[in-house]
Amino acid sequence: MTVPAPVPPPVRPRRLLDVRTVYAEPAALALPRGRQVVERWPDAEVIEVSSALRIPQVHGDDASVERWVRTKTEVLALGVRKTLTARKNDRSANWIAPSLSNGCAMACAYCYVPRHKGYANPITVYANSDDVVGYLQRHVARQGVKPGPDQCDPAAWIYDIGENSDASVDAVVSDNVRDLVRAFADLPTAKASFATKHVNRALLTYDPRGRTRVRFSVMPERMAKLVDVRTDPVRERIAAVDDFVDAGYEVHLNLSPVVVHEGWLEEWAELLGQLDDALSPRSKAQCAAEVIFLTHNAGLHEVNLGWHPKGEEALWRPDVQESKRSHNGMENVRYRARWKAVWVQRLLDLIAERTPWLTVRYAF
């Protein structure tokens, strides 16, 4: 039996994570993965809490809004995943896997995850990774062979492992992502999938064997500088595509969010040109895209006004937006339906013209 080479602890990007406090459930501290997380930040204060998702001094303090980015940098929460359920999706993925984390060290102003938490959104990592991996292996086995192609994949069942987080950043915190990638490498009927805005080159050592799909999210650079707070530059995400393909990942693109403003289509034309110039023929041949127009939320708007009001000038546009209940039951705001249909088609036409090799799996 070939023993895989040990993976060194990832380099921690200090601008993203400089952990000073770990709020931890006692059950998580008792697990090997929980101890690993604590050991990666030996100088951090560990404070025991009853629930990693309901920490009064973090999630319940309205003054935390003013420390939005600082909290993401300096705080981790450590818990145990109690509910193991794969949720049917059939849009980006066939199934949303029970996540091994929640929250993010990055601070995209449009991110929907903080809508559930209140006044702060640091990373919460779950220590019972073996439970989640075992559940997913059994779930995949129960599905059998996929009966036919769909918009998620021609042959494999797709499991999103990062709906509420960014797995590339999670991989800095613990080995949870490595465990998932390696588990799916041995599942011939399924693939893991996650979207990311962080280029973590430690993932290049994971040997995914084509069973993990990385979706690099890209948007025009000018808008990204305004609303993709603390993320890696778009040009670095684009430059990483070939390397991840060479390392055995399937790499797709999320063209998202599409933020409509004066000159937006011209900016997307420039971005598509960058993609066409940068990606190798091999990367283009396996690539596909999701096109996702901006969705926003009144509660998140109020939070954002407390830490990043400039970004809200682009995101909160009552003159062109309307309320709509999302598929997850939340009341959100999206671009008005009749106008959005026209804008979606214009962007799809532009993609067909500038990057004819890029198949759009879905657009909304």
Side-chain angles (χ1 to χ4, degrees):
M1 181 179 70
T2 302
V3 178
V7 177
V11 176
R12 298 195 294 268
R14 190 172 179 85
R15 71 179 184 86
L16 279 181
L17 288 167
D18 183 19
V19 177
R20 312 289 180 85
T21 306
V22 178
Y23 293 96
E25 297 174 8
L29 292 172
L31 293 170
R33 185 52 44 82
R35 292 193 293 271
Q36 179 193 62
V37 172
V38 171
E39 288 167 2
R40 286 192 176 175
W41 283 275
D43 297 328
E45 179 184 11
V46 178
I47 300 173
E48 293 192 3
V49 293
S50 59
S51 171
L53 292 177
R54 290 188 296 276
I55 305 169
Q57 56 268 56
V58 177
H59 303 125
D61 181 2
D62 59 2
S64 294
V65 171
E66 299 175 4
R67 303 191 299 271
W68 186 261
V69 171
R70 182 174 176 180
T71 298
K72 284 174 169 288
T73 306
E74 298 181 354
V75 173
L76 285 179
L78 181 60
V80 172
R81 179 85 196 194
K82 299 173 179 64
T83 303
L84 299 180
T85 303
R87 192 174 80 250
K88 195 72 171 168
N89 181 257
D90 288 336
R91 177 176 277 172
S92 175
N94 297 112
W95 302 92
I96 306 299
S99 60
L100 276 169
S101 67
N102 188 294
C104 187
M106 296 184 288
C108 300
Y110 48 82
C111 178
Y112 67 88
V113 178
R115 304 174 194 175
H116 302 280
K117 285 189 174 181
Y119 306 108
N121 186 36
I123 294 174
T124 298
V125 61
Y126 297 112
N128 55 329
S129 56
D130 289 346
D131 293 340
V132 174
V133 169
Y135 170 84
L136 287 170
Q137 290 169 329
R138 295 188 296 274
H139 192 278
V140 170
R142 289 195 298 271
Q143 307 316 306
V145 176
K146 195 171 188 177
D150 58 21
Q151 72 175 24
C152 301
D153 193 83
W157 297 108
I158 304 299
Y159 287 75
D160 194 316
I161 62 170
E163 182 190 37
N164 295 318
S165 64
D166 188 305
S168 296
V169 180
D170 295 341
V172 177
V173 180
S174 78
D175 288 343
N176 281 352
V177 177
R178 184 188 66 176
D179 290 350
L180 287 166
V181 171
R182 289 184 171 177
F184 274 91
D186 292 326
L187 297 174
T189 62
K191 294 177 187 175
S193 177
F194 64 88
T196 184
K197 302 182 189 74
H198 176 54
V199 179
N200 183 347
R201 293 188 174 273
L203 272 65
L204 299 175
T205 69
Y206 286 6
D207 191 23
R209 287 177 271 167
R211 308 315 297 175
T212 292
R213 173 185 295 167
V214 177
R215 295 157 17 236
F216 280 107
S217 294
V218 296
M219 66 189 308
E221 192 77 55
R222 188 176 75 85
M223 184 58 66
K225 288 179 179 179
L226 178 63
V227 299
D228 267 8
V229 182
R230 310 189 84 221
T231 65
D232 288 346
V234 172
R235 63 183 179 277
E236 292 183 14
R237 304 176 214 170
I238 295 173
V241 170
D242 285 357
D243 293 336
F244 274 74
V245 171
D246 291 343
Y249 289 93
E250 181 180 57
V251 180
H252 285 191
L253 298 170
N254 277 12
L255 309 184
S256 73
V258 179
V259 181
V260 176
H261 60 93
E262 185 175 352
W264 69 277
L265 204 59
E266 289 79 6
E267 291 183 0
W268 278 96
E270 182 179 353
L271 176 64
L272 293 170
Q274 293 170 4
L275 289 168
D276 192 48
D277 291 341
L279 270 60
S280 69
R282 182 184 179 192
S283 293
K284 291 177 180 178
Q286 57 83 69
C287 197
E290 303 169 15
V291 177
I292 306 169
F293 276 65
L294 174 71
T295 299
H296 206 14
N297 175 277
L300 180 60
H301 170 63
E302 292 301 319
V303 169
N304 285 351
L305 288 176
W307 74 276
H308 189 33
K310 187 69 175 176
E312 285 303 286
E313 294 178 10
L315 301 179
W316 189 254
R317 291 284 308 277
D319 57 321
V320 295
Q321 292 168 332
E322 63 185 4
S323 296
K324 183 175 181 180
R325 188 168 296 277
S326 295
H327 70 281
N328 60 8
M330 293 196 68
E331 190 70 29
N332 296 320
V333 293
R334 295 180 178 176
Y335 294 121
R336 295 180 185 177
R338 284 183 291 181
W339 295 350
K340 179 180 174 181
V342 173
W343 295 333
V344 169
Q345 190 57 54
R346 286 179 180 172
L347 184 53
L348 291 177
D349 291 344
L350 185 65
I351 293 168
E353 175 189 343
R354 299 297 179 92
T355 51
W357 47 268
L358 184 58
T359 299
V360 175
R361 292 199 294 113
Y362 74 92
F364 80 97

